[in-house]
Amino acid sequence: MRTLTALGIFLFTSFMALAIDPRAADIAFASYNSHFYVSHGGRGYFKENTDGGHSHFWVRAEQIEMIEDAYDRTHNPETREMIRDAIAGFMRGHGSDWTTNKYNDDIMWITIACCRAYQATGDDSDRALAKHNFDAVYARGFDSKLGGGVYWTTDNRSKNACVNGPATIAAGLLCKICDDKSYLTKAEMIYAWERQALFTTNGAIHDNLRISGRIGRKVFTYNEG
């Protein structure tokens, strides 16, 4: 018993020694930005790789959320300005109406990023972007077929975890930043559908429910995330 206790203490202290501290987070964020982030005239973006290019639509959304994570931790004014610049850079590349993108999950991820940008900056245009594009996706993507839920794409062939999870989060954030309970209702409906249709008793989230009624049983990391 004493041996097991000693082993447990050793493993715990070893884990604590290896834990990421704020300095390591600062170094990682600064290093990533130095290799990939570009800003000109108040518009920022991340390169696709160190040789250049622009990262893809949904990747840019997650990179903006990375900046927002850093701001939530530090409340650094320079990081807040970086959020503004990255949103402006996204709009330069994709405009303010994103419905030309057939992937509803892509739009939900940048909608979340814009909701969080509003929380960080108080810029009403970020909230307006989030509201407009969420409403557009909900209008084209949600229906009562298969019991509810949002379609993955405008092809309307399946309703997937990768869009319904983010849609739930986006609707919850919009309820908060718009003080509009109708978004809470939408969040609850979408969440209830995903839990009923895709959640399994062992905690796995299936990937999708196809329009045929067949379950796509692959489990991807973003289903759980």
Side-chain angles (χ1 to χ4, degrees), residues 164 189-201 204-205:
N164 283 279
M189 289 171 57
I190 298 166
Y191 173 80
W193 178 85
E194 181 164 345
R195 183 172 179 84
Q196 183 277 325
L198 300 178
F199 181 76
T200 67
T201 54
I205 310 293

Side-chain angles (χ1 to χ4, degrees), residues 48-139:
E48 183 178 15
N49 53 56
T50 52
D51 291 330
H54 291 69
S55 56
H56 183 61
F57 189 107
W58 69 267
V59 178
R60 292 181 80 163
E62 294 312 296
Q63 288 166 326
I64 293 170
E65 282 211 84
M66 175 190 67
I67 304 170
E68 291 162 347
D69 288 344
Y71 177 74
D72 286 347
R73 183 176 62 83
T74 65
H75 292 282
N76 184 320
E78 292 182 0
T79 307
R80 184 174 60 236
E81 288 306 306
M82 192 176 175
I83 295 171
R84 293 183 189 273
D85 290 354
I87 294 289
F90 187 93
M91 289 179 64
R92 174 154 192 183
H94 299 286
S96 59
D97 185 304
W98 308 319
T99 54
T100 55
N101 186 339
K102 76 172 188 175
Y103 292 96
N104 290 325
D105 58 326
D106 288 10
I107 298 173
M108 287 301 177
W109 287 327
I110 186 60
T111 294
I112 292 170
C114 286
C115 287
R116 294 184 63 192
Y118 172 78
Q119 291 177 316
T121 68
D123 190 332
D124 287 338
S125 65
D126 294 330
R127 179 171 59 183
L129 280 170
K131 186 178 187 305
H132 169 76
N133 286 284
F134 176 90
D135 290 348
V137 167
Y138 188 85

